[in-house]
Amino acid sequence: MYRDQIVEALRGHEADYIEVRLEESEACIIQYRGRELEDLSRSTSLGGNVRVLAKGGWGFVSFNDLRNLGDKVGLAVKQARLVGKDVSRFAPVAQIVDSVEEVVAKDASSLALAEKKSLLDEYNEVIWSVPKIETSIIAYRDKWRRITFANSEGSYIEQKNADLSLRMVAVARDGGDVQQAGLSEGSRGDFTQIEGLHQKVRETAQRAVELLAAPQVKGGEYWVVLDPVLAGVFVHEAFGHLSEADFTYENERLREIMVLGRRFGGEHLNIVDGAAVPDLRGSYKYDDEGVPASKTYLIREGVLVGRLHSRETAAKMGEPTTGNARAVNYRYPPIVRMTNTFIEPQRASFEEMIGGIKEGIYVKNWYGGTTSMEMFTFSAGEAHMIRQGKLAELVRPVVLTGNIFTTLKNIDAIGSDLEMNQGGGCGKGGQYPLPVSNGSPHIRIQHCLVGGK
Amino acid sequence: MEEILSLARKSAQEAEVFLTSFEETPVVFEANRLKQLQTRQGILVALRIVREGRIGFSTTTSLDDRVSLVDRAIEVSQFGTPARFELPYQLTYPQVEIYDPGVETLSIEQMIDLGESLIAKVRGHTPALLCDARITKGLVSVHILNSRGGEVSYRRSFFGIGLEGNLIQDTDMLFVGDSDSSCHPIGDIDKVASSVINQLELARRQASVSSGRLPVVFTPRGVASAFIAPLALAFNGRVVWQGASPLGDKLGERVFDERLSLWDDATATYRPRSRPCDDEGVPSQSTPLIEHGVVKGFLYDLQTAGLAGVQSTGNGDRVGEGLPTPSISSLIFKAGAVSFEDMVGDLREGLVVEQLMGAGQTNVLGGEFSGNVLLGYKVEKGGIVGRVKDTVVSGNIYQVLNKLVGIGQEAAWVEGAIFTPALCCSNLTIASKG
């Protein structure tokens, strides 16, 4: 659709590599605070960017005004030349001309506003029907976008896709004590995947009320069992980010630490990331550099075997491209990101995992997680004590923390019940929320540090 | 803009057009070297209407997209929430200094020099440090026009410098960093450089701490990482109105230490979040939130103020593509009487927290914080003895800020929006691998 315009804009400009990305999108936001609609809006956006590599230096120009595209290419070329004083290293990929349009069961972006709002009204009523609930927060967003990508190597790719996210929070209150419980879901724009959640919503609201009477855990080291949702957040924070090669490729010391072949966990531990795993929020056919998606083993049988790359990091580390360069939107250049990240299933049963624990914590669901490479945190939305091998009382949500060099080795049991969670969004370098999914079976970690009273 | 307004007025009783455009130029350094130059230009047009008493809202990125913009706002208004406000008009706005033409005339070459000298200075102290740095200049303009005849516009310049350094020894990773921002060009890199060098000095040795309860000094950056998320929610008028703020029924009551005073100020001179009016055209002001430990007020936009039966405090911000919602502008804590040296000097045993990672990923609505000490130090017999790791600090702001050990006399800007001294808190829970 924009092909001639882009070809014309690239004409006469010289650099080692030039790419143009144009992006049209439409989004719908529905937000409640309590029974009141806080936000209801429909937005459209049209914008783009030009990225140029010259002698190892990058120029980047983003804009909403698509006129004079050639001048924008010219500016980015000038910027890249001002920076570049070296040699460009950029992994070769095949020229691709393709057009990808996804079809989902029930496309949220083409649904009437009335239908979307009526489902959220139902969920809000479910929350409010639970006694002692003070208030609710519901945040729904759907967005479709059509991205046109073209580069100076002759690739031209159009991809149309959609994303949907829903977070519902129930708030209970007793005087100055405010407790909350949340539920997050998401999909590739398919509305059916957020239908029929009434029972889950009710349980979430009931948990918020129960938390008012729940005690707080004493801080310290515990054996913990993670449900698939929190274990997914754990693998994303604990190892996923460290596998993103843009942290490693120009850091000699980190390259020594993250050398392929190094052991990080037991032989039962396999960690995978891949946008080629279909139908998840982090799935796609081509990344934002036009590189075909793949499925990459990061850890196989406990040993580091791969990492996630952009074309630049792959070239500089002499490793194959993986198709992990992503931009949250046209205002940002693509950087190395995760897609769908998970721990592969093994055979341990849940009963076996909790059976061996005298005093520990069963942690479920998530509030969030963050990492600084060596140390990371991941926080549970729900927690129960484990006493004498059995599930015991509900306790208040906890923040757990780990260290990359010990915590993965402390995973001593991995279950068989892999589930992927679609409810999160990932942030890095100011680019948030990027659609990702992550997952795991139940896992057990020995000696995990837990914050508390 | 006038055309959008008159088109909207054909179907709606009230209408407001908000237009913002920006251009920013980040100079990006990676692994000690200049890596990328960026120019980011953008525009957002937002239309809010009141039709049959209900709010409709839509946005676009082009002024030419008029018909679709109005149609979408009308569609949304069928389901919209009833409007509880009158659009502002005939107002006088405070003179807020937020534009310095020096930002526009500053050259890219000067920004590159600034980044290079910042990295060189920090690496002069620790040659093995690997630095990422970013020097950014920007210009934002805002224009608001409404059907009552209200109109206001302003432009603001922005300049920021930031550095993050990373030092790896065997399997030990240290992350240091700081940033500075203003509406003026910042020519002096010494503030950021000396702060980072100080962190490197203090983290040179390692120390251990055992699980238990200890006093903790939060540096200005530590305060921002642990306390701001729960405070910003608790003072948000919308959260108060919906009954979810623990402070909602505490107006006029003493909840915090009586030496603690906090206000929100959108008029602070040459601060990157200051402006003459908010994103609804309501004049900016300074709003007291805590005075001597007593809860004094909350932050409101027009709609929330209408629901709550109070006046907007000029805190209606548009975040992304959404409707205006109450947001902090610059949060300012009153400085205290204790020097940082004395604060630390008075501790027999304790911690200094420079950054608490993940602290806000818990029940912040209830005032809780719990995070990993990403950068922090052990204090023994009044002196910092080294860096602690694998340590979690937890607490609840309604207990922790109720009785402070001391408030620092030197306050500093953090993240461009928070002006705070160091706070010394007693008896926080520490969980550590030791």
Side-chain angles (χ1 to χ4, degrees):
Chain A
M1 179 179 170
Y2 293 106
R3 199 162 186 174
D4 295 345
Q5 196 182 347
I6 294 171
V7 167
E8 181 59 35
L10 291 177
R11 200 186 306 275
H13 294 289
E14 285 294 323
D16 294 331
Y17 173 81
I18 305 176
E19 72 185 19
V20 176
R21 167 193 173 109
L22 302 177
E23 179 177 328
E24 294 164 83
S25 69
E26 261 186 54
C28 171
I29 293 172
I30 308 174
Q31 259 168 244
Y32 291 78
R33 270 195 179 269
R35 289 179 192 266
E36 198 82 19
L37 260 178
E38 181 183 35
D39 203 341
L40 180 63
S41 57
R42 284 194 54 197
S43 55
T44 63
S45 164
L46 173 60
N49 68 56
V50 178
R51 195 169 66 126
V52 174
L53 177 64
K55 292 186 175 176
W58 286 101
F60 176 84
V61 175
S62 69
F63 44 83
N64 286 119
D65 186 350
L66 269 49
R67 288 170 298 184
N68 307 320
L69 199 53
D71 294 349
K72 279 139 188 159
V73 175
L75 176 58
V77 168
K78 193 176 141 213
Q79 290 176 335
R81 288 206 179 130
L82 194 58
V83 177
K85 299 196 165 43
D86 206 343
V87 184
S88 294
R89 296 173 69 190
F90 206 53
V93 294
Q95 184 196 76
I96 291 165
V97 176
D98 197 359
S99 178
V100 184
E101 185 153 349
E102 277 186 50
V103 180
V104 295
K106 191 172 179 183
D107 178 12
S109 56
S110 60
L111 282 186
L113 205 48
E115 181 171 353
K116 300 181 205 179
K117 187 173 171 289
S118 125
L119 180 69
L120 300 179
D121 280 336
E122 282 174 37
Y123 291 153
N124 208 10
E125 277 313 308
V126 171
I127 296 177
W128 281 85
S129 71
V130 172
K132 295 188 191 164
I133 282 293
E134 173 82 19
T135 188
S136 60
I137 302 162
I138 294 180
Y140 167 93
R141 186 180 89 145
D142 67 55
K143 182 171 188 167
W144 71 259
R145 43 184 206 171
R146 181 176 14 242
I147 297 165
T148 305
F149 172 91
N151 67 25
S152 53
E153 297 164 345
S155 285
Y156 183 86
I157 303 169
E158 286 181 358
Q159 295 190 88
K160 186 183 170 199
N161 58 48
D163 187 63
L164 182 163
S165 63
L166 172 63
R167 179 150 177 92
M168 295 181 277
V169 178
V171 180
R173 179 168 185 179
D174 181 9
D177 189 10
V178 176
Q179 292 296 319
Q180 53 174 314
L183 176 66
S184 297
E185 301 284 342
S187 76
R188 301 186 65 76
D190 181 1
F191 199 74
T192 61
Q193 293 192 33
I194 60 159
E195 292 177 324
L197 298 174
H198 303 74
Q199 185 53 30
K200 272 187 165 177
V201 173
R202 182 169 293 109
E203 286 164 11
T204 302
Q206 285 163 347
R207 194 170 71 243
V209 175
E210 287 164 23
L211 281 172
L212 288 171
Q216 218 179 339
V217 171
K218 188 173 168 355
E221 284 187 78
Y222 292 90
W223 285 34
V224 296
V225 175
L226 278 59
D227 83 331
V229 174
L230 186 62
V233 173
F234 165 80
V235 69
H236 176 103
E237 300 300 347
F239 206 77
H241 280 296
L242 198 58
S243 299
E244 294 165 345
D246 54 347
F247 291 117
T248 320
Y249 78 122
E250 291 185 317
N251 188 330
E252 279 306 320
R253 290 185 179 178
L254 196 54
R255 282 176 79 148
E256 287 164 21
I257 290 173
M258 293 299 288
V259 65
L260 299 184
R262 184 186 182 118
R263 177 163 292 279
F264 277 90
E267 290 194 349
H268 60 168
L269 184 64
N270 295 295
I271 301 177
V272 178
D273 177 277
V277 180
D279 302 326
L280 296 166
R281 280 183 78 205
S283 311
Y284 48 76
K285 193 168 177 190
Y286 305 102
D287 76 358
D288 291 322
E289 289 182 327
V291 179
S294 65
K295 177 179 166 183
T296 309
Y297 272 86
L298 307 175
I299 291 207
R300 201 194 283 268
E301 295 179 357
V303 171
L304 181 66
V305 293
R307 64 185 116 240
L308 308 178
H309 282 296
S310 65
R311 292 181 65 177
E312 184 179 31
T313 65
K316 288 195 171 170
M317 296 189 78
E319 293 173 6
T321 57
T322 59
N324 282 82
R326 305 178 67 189
V328 72
N329 61 44
Y330 60 88
R331 295 203 200 279
Y332 298 90
I335 54 176
V336 182
R337 302 299 293 261
M338 279 174 266
T339 58
N340 308 302
T341 316
F342 57 96
I343 296 177
E344 286 191 331
Q346 295 291 344
R347 278 180 296 278
S349 74
F350 181 66
E351 288 70 28
E352 283 163 10
M353 283 189 213
I354 65 166
I357 299 178
K358 224 156 88 181
E359 189 194 45
I361 310 175
Y362 178 39
V363 278
K364 297 171 73 174
N365 225 317
W366 61 271
Y367 260 113
T370 186
T371 181
S372 75
M373 307 294 122
E374 184 194 0
M375 295 187 289
F376 53 88
T377 65
F378 52 108
S379 51
E382 188 180 346
H384 298 262
M385 293 306 294
I386 302 168
R387 297 189 191 282
Q388 312 302 339
K390 292 203 166 61
L391 284 185
E393 77 274 16
L394 178 76
V395 290
R396 298 222 164 153
V398 288
V399 175
L400 303 94
T401 192
N403 186 302
I404 186 65
F405 300 109
T406 53
T407 311
L408 289 181
K409 288 192 178 119
N410 287 341
I411 298 176
D412 74 335
I414 298 174
S416 58
D417 50 349
L418 169 67
E419 270 179 48
M420 296 303 291
N421 179 258
Q422 306 257 62
C426 174
K428 176 180 173 184
Q431 300 197 39
Y432 174 86
L434 189 75
V436 294
S437 75
N438 45 52
S440 170
H442 274 89
I443 62 170
R444 181 168 76 181
I445 307 173
Q446 302 177 351
H447 309 296
C448 189
L449 192 58
V450 176
K453 71 170 181 189
Chain B
M1 285 177 77
E2 288 81 0
E3 288 176 44
I4 296 172
L5 198 64
S6 57
L7 193 60
R9 281 300 298 277
K10 287 182 183 158
S11 319
Q13 289 73 52
E14 302 287 351
E16 168 203 65
V17 185
F18 171 87
L19 169 69
T20 181
S21 59
F22 68 90
E23 173 161 337
E24 64 173 35
T25 314
V27 174
V28 183
F29 294 82
E30 242 183 61
N32 301 330
R33 283 192 310 201
L34 180 61
K35 177 77 180 182
Q36 188 171 64
L37 292 179
Q38 300 184 355
T39 300
R40 297 165 55 183
Q41 302 160 336
I43 172 173
L44 179 75
V45 187
L47 171 67
R48 175 165 61 171
I49 60 169
V50 180
R51 186 169 173 266
E52 290 161 14
R54 292 179 176 274
I55 299 172
F57 186 68
S58 60
T59 72
T60 181
T61 53
S62 165
L63 272 171
D64 301 330
D65 194 19
R66 293 185 290 267
V67 175
S68 151
L69 184 71
V70 174
D71 286 349
R72 280 181 283 123
I74 290 170
E75 185 204 347
V76 165
S77 73
Q78 299 168 51
F79 308 97
T81 199
R84 300 294 186 88
F85 58 87
E86 202 168 79
L87 292 166
Y89 60 101
Q90 288 182 341
L91 294 168
T92 49
Y93 293 98
Q95 270 287 331
V96 183
E97 301 295 335
I98 47 171
Y99 176 73
D100 181 339
V103 168
E104 275 182 276
T105 54
L106 195 79
S107 73
I108 296 292
E109 287 77 8
Q110 285 171 299
M111 292 167 71
I112 294 172
D113 286 346
L114 203 63
E116 283 174 345
S117 54
L118 176 63
I119 291 171
K121 178 135 195 181
V122 175
R123 292 187 72 222
H125 177 272
T126 304
L129 193 71
L130 209 53
C131 297
D132 289 348
R134 189 176 273 251
I135 313 292
T136 305
K137 68 170 190 172
L139 189 68
V140 179
S141 63
V142 169
H143 189 174
I144 305 168
L145 194 64
N146 70 42
S147 52
R148 298 255 164 173
E151 180 168 14
V152 57
S153 64
Y154 65 87
R155 60 181 179 163
R156 176 171 62 203
S157 52
F158 169 83
F159 197 84
I161 65 176
L163 179 136
E164 281 177 31
N166 153 243
L167 188 64
I168 299 179
Q169 277 160 332
D170 302 324
T171 57
D172 173 54
M173 300 185 197
L174 170 67
F175 292 86
V176 292
D178 207 346
S179 63
D180 194 9
S181 60
S182 171
C183 298
H184 293 301
I186 298 169
D188 178 14
I189 50 137
D190 284 351
K191 207 167 105 187
V192 172
S194 61
S195 161
V196 172
I197 289 168
N198 185 44
Q199 294 167 16
L200 287 164
E201 275 295 318
L202 297 176
R204 195 187 280 265
R205 285 181 299 278
Q206 298 227 357
S208 66
V209 60
S210 23
S211 298
R213 285 181 165 268
L214 284 177
V216 177
V217 173
F218 289 85
T219 67
R221 288 175 74 229
V223 169
S225 69
F227 304 141
I228 297 304
L231 284 172
L233 270 176
F235 284 100
N236 182 321
R238 184 65 63 106
V239 178
V240 170
W241 176 77
Q242 74 165 147
S245 168
L247 296 180
D249 50 3
K250 300 280 194 294
L251 203 61
E253 288 181 33
R254 195 188 77 81
V255 174
F256 301 99
D257 188 289
E258 58 192 19
R259 289 165 295 176
L260 200 68
S261 291
L262 172 70
W263 60 95
D264 179 86
D265 190 355
T267 66
T269 303
Y270 291 108
R271 294 311 309 167
R273 290 186 56 79
S274 292
R275 65 262 166 124
C277 64
D278 70 1
D279 291 347
E280 304 183 284
V282 175
S284 291
Q285 62 180 54
S286 170
T287 307
L289 304 176
I290 305 172
E291 257 176 28
H292 304 296
V294 175
V295 177
K296 281 307 227 192
F298 304 113
L299 301 175
Y300 289 98
D301 61 2
L302 284 171
Q303 172 75 3
T304 313
L307 289 165
V310 298
Q311 293 290 311
S312 168
T313 52
N315 286 85
D317 266 20
R318 298 171 195 258
V319 183
E321 295 152 353
L323 272 167
T325 185
S327 311
I328 59 169
S329 39
S330 287
L331 278 185
I332 298 174
F333 283 94
K334 187 168 180 248
V338 196
S339 73
F340 185 75
E341 287 68 32
D342 288 349
M343 204 179 255
V344 172
D346 286 344
L347 297 184
R348 196 171 51 83
E349 189 185 6
L351 290 182
V352 172
V353 170
E354 183 83 41
Q355 201 182 346
L356 207 54
M357 174 172 62
Q361 290 171 339
T362 182
N363 179 24
V364 281
L365 207 48
E368 284 161 28
F369 63 91
S370 182
N372 175 307
V373 181
L374 181 58
L375 185 58
Y377 323 105
K378 178 75 186 300
V379 180
E380 287 172 13
K381 293 177 189 144
I384 289 174
V385 293
R387 178 187 177 210
V388 294
K389 287 171 58 177
D390 300 313
T391 300
V392 179
V393 172
S394 312
N396 185 303
I397 60 162
Y398 300 110
Q399 285 147 25
V400 171
L401 300 181
N402 179 267
K403 193 150 178 41
L404 291 163
V405 179
I407 299 178
Q409 63 188 192
E410 308 102 352
W413 283 101
V414 188
E415 293 162 13
I418 295 142
F419 189 67
T420 176
L423 299 177
C424 184
C425 309
S426 65
N427 226 11
L428 287 189
T429 309
I430 316 290
S432 180
K433 291 249 183 201

